[in-house]
Amino acid sequence: MSGPIEAVRIYRRLLGAHLRAVLEYRADALLTIGAAVLGQLAGLVFVATIFRQVPVLQGWTQWEVLCVCAMVMLAEGIGSLFFEGAWHLSGMVNLGALDYQLVRPYPVVLQVTGAAVGVNGLGNVVFGTLLLAAAVGRIDVAWSPVTVLWAGLLLASGLLVKIAVNLATNAVAFWLLSPSNSIAVSVHMLGDLARYPLTVYGTGVRSLLTVVPVAFVGYFPAAALLDKGVPATVGTLTPVVALACAFGAWRVFEAGLRRYESAGN
């Protein structure tokens, strides 16, 4: 490898090859994208139904909650579109297909995350971007160049947390040796709870969403941007949490890779 620029170039080519393969079946790709958008719309209908009954939910207005939802949508969409390969790790480990990646002169973790493209992520990215743009114009934030940079950092940090959590939970496959990974799926589903203010849940659920830490994908970054008291203080730590998650996910993946024994183990 000649450096990070070359690594990014190769990663882009990997994703491009997978994307072209997926788009060979255009009707299937469009249906997948449409299903993703409809799934997100169902969540928004749920939020709108709640706010027809109450004007404020635990100190959060409708558009503030939708801002959190949009941040989670974006993180899920980008993670699926560009790092979908992590979800195929269980199959690679179980079938011994990871052998091919081990003999190539390119970081194994990038080969794994770039091994597939989740075209459904495109629908989440587009829909999440539109929703975030709509929410930004309706939330009470005094925008300035510094605030814009801070918001961008929080959004990027939440995305990094999502990618790191996905990688770490899928890397458990090195120990489970199973063609499927229920732990990763369970954590992903748990992340849906973090689309809403944590204050609507009991202490146990709040602690779980914070420790995992899926609440740093959307809730805590939004709280920091909107200055929501104690959650805002915790939210300012999102960039630090993101770096810690990325480092932790990489260590888990490397530890699993060292115990990989190919097929037949």
Side-chain angles (χ1 to χ4, degrees):
M1 295 300 299
S2 59
I5 295 179
E6 180 68 8
V8 171
R9 186 186 70 82
I10 294 175
Y11 196 80
R12 179 179 59 81
R13 294 188 65 181
L14 280 173
L15 294 179
H18 291 300
L19 182 60
R20 287 192 296 274
V22 170
L23 293 180
E24 284 294 321
Y25 305 92
R26 295 186 181 180
D28 183 63
L30 290 174
L31 286 173
T32 302
I33 294 172
V37 172
L38 287 176
Q40 300 297 351
L41 277 173
L44 297 187
V45 169
F46 176 71
V47 172
T49 301
I50 291 176
F51 279 96
R52 283 199 188 99
Q53 308 300 321
V54 292
V56 178
L57 183 64
Q58 294 291 326
W60 290 71
T61 66
Q62 179 175 353
W63 282 105
E64 289 172 346
V65 172
L66 290 177
C67 180
V68 177
C69 291
M71 294 175 73
V72 174
M73 281 184 207
L74 271 175
E76 290 182 351
I78 293 174
S80 182
L81 193 59
F82 297 107
F83 304 94
E84 178 72 8
W87 290 96
H88 297 257
L89 183 57
S90 293
M92 294 179 187
V93 173
N94 185 259
L95 299 175
L98 206 60
D99 294 358
Y100 300 105
Q101 281 82 355
L102 291 173
V103 298
R104 294 170 182 161
Y106 189 65
V108 179
V109 66
L110 294 181
Q111 291 186 65
V112 169
T113 56
V117 169
V119 71
N120 60 297
L122 182 59
N124 288 341
V125 169
V126 173
F127 195 67
T129 300
L130 293 175
L131 181 60
L132 185 62
V136 163
R138 293 170 173 82
I139 57 178
D140 186 18
V141 174
W143 294 104
S144 68
V146 174
T147 307
V148 171
L149 289 175
W150 176 231
L153 177 60
L154 290 170
L155 186 63
S157 298
L159 169 61
L160 183 56
V161 170
K162 179 63 177 178
I163 295 170
V165 170
N166 282 350
L167 178 61
T169 53
N170 278 287
V172 176
F174 285 112
W175 287 267
L176 296 179
L177 305 179
S178 169
S180 60
N181 190 340
S182 59
I183 294 178
V185 174
S186 298
V187 172
H188 177 73
M189 294 177 66
L190 185 66
D192 287 339
L193 297 178
R195 293 171 180 257
Y196 313 106
L198 261 62
T199 47
V200 303
Y201 304 118
T203 304
V205 175
R206 291 201 302 268
S207 301
L208 181 61
L209 295 175
T210 303
V211 171
V212 170
V214 290
F216 284 93
V217 176
Y219 172 70
F220 282 123
L225 182 64
L226 297 168
D227 193 21
K228 292 289 184 178
V230 175
T233 303
V234 178
T236 58
L237 300 175
T238 301
V240 177
V241 172
L243 292 176
C245 287
F247 178 73
W250 176 73
R251 291 299 298 268
V252 170
F253 183 86
E254 289 293 309
L257 202 60
R258 285 193 295 271
R259 75 182 309 278
Y260 174 68
E261 298 175 347
S262 188
N265 59 82

